[in-house]
Amino acid sequence: MGGAGAIQVPATSLLALAAILFCIGLYGALTRRNLIIVLVSIELMLNAANINLVTFSRLGASPGLHGQVFALFTITVAAAEIAVGLALLLAAFRTRRSTHVEDMDQHKW
């Protein structure tokens, strides 16, 4: 599917990269106390999913652009998620003066 001079990366390498990125993001989302780091970890997990989408699209019975299109939608959703997440984080920081997860456990701000 590549043009002249395109580098062919083995699918196992791409899937291993995606698995490593997802595990790093999952570890960061579950263990960190700072909400900004949690949001970045979620982004890392979404990017790992994008790598899988593009890889499996390339490996399918009829390779096409379906995986790339889904990855583009995922990138769009991730951008909206970061915008909403940062807006909520700023609102919480204004009232609590902290970005730690354990400070956000009360419903009343």
Side-chain angles (χ1 to χ4, degrees):
M1 281 215 43
I7 298 173
Q8 294 294 325
V9 179
T12 55
S13 298
L14 291 172
L15 294 176
L17 173 67
I20 291 169
L21 287 177
F22 190 85
C23 289
I24 292 170
L26 185 64
Y27 176 77
L30 293 178
T31 60
R32 298 298 172 190
R33 295 181 186 159
N34 193 339
L35 284 174
I36 296 172
I37 300 299
V38 172
L39 284 174
V40 169
S41 298
I42 292 170
E43 285 294 316
L44 197 60
M45 292 189 304
L46 286 172
N47 285 329
N50 285 338
I51 291 172
N52 280 334
L53 285 170
V54 173
T55 302
F56 286 124
S57 173
R58 190 181 82 175
L59 292 176
S62 60
L65 296 177
H66 300 294
Q68 286 87 341
V69 171
F70 284 129
L72 186 63
F73 285 132
T74 307
I75 290 169
T76 306
V77 168
E81 175 254 333
I82 281 294
V84 171
L86 286 177
L88 290 172
L89 180 67
L90 284 173
F93 181 76
R94 286 182 183 166
T95 58
R96 302 228 185 226
R97 297 288 181 219
S98 174
T99 59
H100 292 290
V101 175
E102 60 265 4
D103 294 338
M104 306 299 167
D105 63 351
Q106 297 174 358
H107 296 291
K108 189 175 182 181
W109 288 3

